[in-house]
Amino acid sequence: MTAIDSTKHQKSKALKPGSRRPAKELCSECGLCDTYYIHYVKESCAFLTQHIAELEAEIHGRSRNLDNQDDWYFGVSQNMMAARKKEPIEGAQWTGIVSTIAIEMLEKGIVEGVVCVQNTKEDRFQPMPIIARTRAEILAAKVNKPTLSPNLSVLEQIEKSGMKRLLVIGVGCQIQALRTVEKKLGLEKLYVLGTPCVDNVSRAGLQKFLDTTSRSPETVVSYEFMQDFNVHFKHEDGSTEKVPFFGLNTKELKDVFAPSCLSCFDYVNSLADLVVGYMGAPFGWQWIVVRNDTGQEMLDLVTDQLNTQPVMSQGNRKEAVQQSIPAYEKGVTLPMWAAKLMGVFIERIGPKGLEYARFSIDSHFTRNYLYVKRNYPDKLDAHVPEYAKRIVGQYKLPDV
Ligand code: FAD
Ligand code: SF4
Ligand code: SF4
């Protein structure tokens, strides 16, 4: 299954908010079904049809080379680096490279609009996708909304607006659906700026995570699972609270992640032109993956605003991943003092740079593979991409 080809398209009636979606409980609320593009849901939905390799070949000119382990992990790429803004954007998730690229593309007239996600007035974590047409609107979308976000719900507005050049910012499941219907949007050029994404949650799931984990859930403005093996919560008063991964209440939190995200194997956003995350970079830096020439064109717009350095890789993740598999299955939670100690120890000797990214990918893919095998055994073979099967195949998994 490749992208839908002809530019003419058919429309079906969008689903009402809150109604059951075609992917049922696996729906990640990407927004496609909120539009008449639901007509193409069978081919587009990341949870009904997994066709990453075919779309990679169409978009990047080739799919992952399965003889190259870097391709298994990071997808098709031309270039990778660590980078940070010389002058970070205050209040961005990291240093604001994503928002900066979007602003440059808009203000240089390369695109007419940017699909991004702000939050509602009432709730800083409730996503509100928009098509931004000004710098201020892009800046109002900075920082992660760590919840499932229907970014594609604005697709109908794009066609109606007559826009021809567009930038979409989004996570893997949104981008797979977008790429499948791309030719139906009536655009001359689509640019896709992706972030990695993992362990996303519904709004209710987020509340449970905050209530279970933070000392002051109501003042959290953002959080991140950092390379130092701590969750860093930023609070309204500017303080940072650190909670070690190994001290998380895994038993309580097991069902907090959305079923879509426990079945997701596109952590690194394989189909974006350019990916901006953090996990392959040293602490404090962002990690950039250029997948194709379009991605390079986007990055070139901001390189004078960045400090950069080559990617590095240090340590060996394999044993830590193997040990984490039965620990997660059993829902082991360490006492806080032991968790802190373990965090300090692992940070000193543990994986860094690209090896940390591999650690995170391995841990999540093994967990997700077991989840799909247990809950959707009939889907397992077609749903798990070949690169993910190879990653998971490096580990001994329990029988489920
Ligand atoms: P900013 O300039 O602050 O811009 C953030 C952009 O993200 C905004 O344009 C906004 O439109 C968009 N956005 C916010 N929330 C969502 C959402 N829910 N869905 C789609 N788009 C959204 N990187 C890693 O390396 N490893 C990870 O494990 C990882 N997990 C992530 C999990 C989630 C749920 C999300 C949304 C992102 C994750 N990232 C991860 C990416 C990382 O946290 C940063 O978003 C990225 O490095 C960009 O930082 P920035 O300062 O340049 O972004
Ligand atoms: Fe529809 Fe997107 Fe949900 Fe799939 S994930 S059912 S395409 S809204
Ligand atoms: Fe989508 Fe995967 Fe992120 Fe969940 S983890 S929101 S399925 S990209």
Side-chain angles (χ1 to χ4, degrees):
M1 175 73 55
T2 51
I4 296 160
D5 224 352
S6 97
T7 46
K8 280 228 174 85
H9 74 83
Q10 295 177 309
K11 299 174 180 177
S12 298
K13 203 165 180 299
L15 292 178
K16 290 209 178 78
S19 61
R20 199 160 164 80
R21 312 274 130 159
K24 305 190 177 100
E25 66 278 3
L26 281 181
C27 172
S28 67
E29 295 168 30
C30 77
L32 187 90
C33 294
D34 301 333
T35 72
Y36 48 57
Y37 295 96
I38 188 182
H39 185 84
Y40 302 104
V41 68
K42 250 168 112 181
E43 304 90 320
S44 313
C45 175
F47 305 95
L48 298 177
T49 311
Q50 182 283 117
H51 57 138
I52 291 175
E54 290 83 351
L55 288 172
E56 279 175 337
E58 269 180 42
I59 292 148
H60 309 316
R62 70 171 181 92
S63 60
R64 281 168 161 90
N65 172 3
L66 293 173
D67 295 329
N68 177 353
Q69 289 213 3
D70 275 353
D71 272 23
W72 296 1
Y73 279 92
F74 311 125
V76 173
S77 70
Q78 296 185 344
N79 195 5
M80 269 193 234
M81 70 189 72
R84 60 181 177 204
K85 282 207 70 198
K86 291 174 187 164
E87 287 172 31
I89 295 181
E90 182 83 23
Q93 184 70 18
W94 281 78
T95 70
I97 295 178
V98 167
S99 299
T100 306
I101 292 172
I103 289 169
E104 290 297 325
M105 293 186 74
L106 191 71
E107 294 194 338
K108 291 205 161 72
I110 296 165
V111 294
E112 296 151 283
V114 177
V115 173
C116 51
V117 51
Q118 299 178 346
N119 54 280
T120 59
K121 267 204 197 82
E122 305 75 41
D123 179 358
R124 64 165 70 105
F125 292 127
Q126 186 66 50
M128 190 176 75
I130 59 146
I131 306 173
R133 292 176 177 82
T134 65
R135 167 188 283 257
E137 285 169 346
I138 292 170
L139 283 173
K142 74 187 172 197
V143 81
N144 291 357
K145 271 45 82 179
T147 43
L148 300 175
S149 173
N151 281 26
L152 302 186
S153 59
V154 298
L155 283 190
E156 282 183 25
Q157 291 174 39
I158 293 162
E159 200 182 21
K160 286 177 189 149
S161 73
M163 260 180 210
K164 293 292 170 206
R165 305 178 75 79
L166 183 77
L167 169 67
V168 175
I169 300 171
V171 297
C173 56
Q174 299 159 359
I175 302 307
Q176 186 183 318
L178 174 73
R179 287 301 198 182
T180 314
V181 298
E182 173 175 347
K183 295 206 173 69
K184 304 288 178 190
L185 302 176
L187 296 171
E188 280 162 14
K189 177 80 181 169
L190 171 69
Y191 293 84
V192 179
L193 176 49
T195 69
C197 181
V198 79
D199 288 350
N200 215 342
V201 290
S202 65
R203 185 62 187 85
L206 174 65
Q207 204 54 48
K208 183 168 177 192
F209 172 67
L210 295 175
D211 291 345
T212 319
T213 314
S214 172
R215 62 170 150 76
S216 167
E218 61 290 345
T219 59
V220 172
V221 284
S222 68
Y223 68 85
E224 194 83 83
F225 285 72
M226 292 277 199
Q227 299 101 318
D228 63 354
F229 297 88
N230 285 287
V231 188
H232 290 212
F233 292 99
K234 276 193 214 158
H235 288 277
E236 276 166 355
D237 63 2
S239 65
T240 301
E241 172 191 6
K242 295 185 195 175
V243 179
F245 291 0
F246 307 103
L248 294 179
N249 189 337
T250 27
K251 231 184 219 136
E252 270 282 308
L253 293 176
K254 239 182 173 175
D255 61 356
V256 86
F257 302 122
S260 53
C261 308
L262 290 167
S263 317
C264 174
F265 296 91
D266 194 18
Y267 194 169
V268 298
N269 213 324
S270 313
L271 303 170
D273 299 310
L274 180 69
V275 179
V276 180
Y278 66 89
M279 65 181 171
F283 188 69
W285 291 72
Q286 291 189 258
W287 174 52
I288 298 194
V289 184
V290 179
R291 299 210 181 283
N292 56 34
D293 292 346
T294 302
Q296 188 63 50
E297 179 192 337
M298 292 155 73
L299 182 61
D300 287 344
L301 294 168
V302 300
T303 34
D304 60 338
Q305 300 181 51
L306 304 178
N307 289 317
T308 61
Q309 59 168 304
V311 280
M312 50 74 81
S313 186
Q314 195 183 306
N316 186 343
R317 73 204 180 272
K318 287 255 177 80
E319 205 173 311
V321 174
Q322 186 63 65
Q323 283 176 8
S324 74
I325 298 169
Y328 180 82
E329 287 279 304
K330 288 190 204 119
V332 175
T333 304
L334 293 178
M336 197 47 82
W337 64 268
K340 282 194 176 140
L341 207 65
M342 178 111 145
V344 171
F345 180 66
I346 294 212
E347 199 202 345
R348 266 199 209 133
I349 58 136
K352 299 222 163 41
L354 292 180
E355 188 67 2
Y356 176 85
R358 292 186 196 99
F359 165 81
S360 193
I361 293 168
D362 285 350
S363 318
H364 287 97
F365 279 17
T366 49
R367 179 198 69 184
N368 289 9
Y369 187 87
L370 290 170
Y371 180 84
V372 177
K373 191 168 178 198
R374 191 172 278 134
N375 295 290
Y376 305 95
D378 299 344
K379 275 179 90 73
L380 188 72
D381 193 43
H383 181 67
V384 183
E386 188 53 37
Y387 62 83
K389 286 183 182 143
R390 296 201 181 193
I391 289 172
V392 171
Q394 301 172 108
Y395 296 97
K396 196 170 161 346
L397 301 186
D399 288 331
V400 295

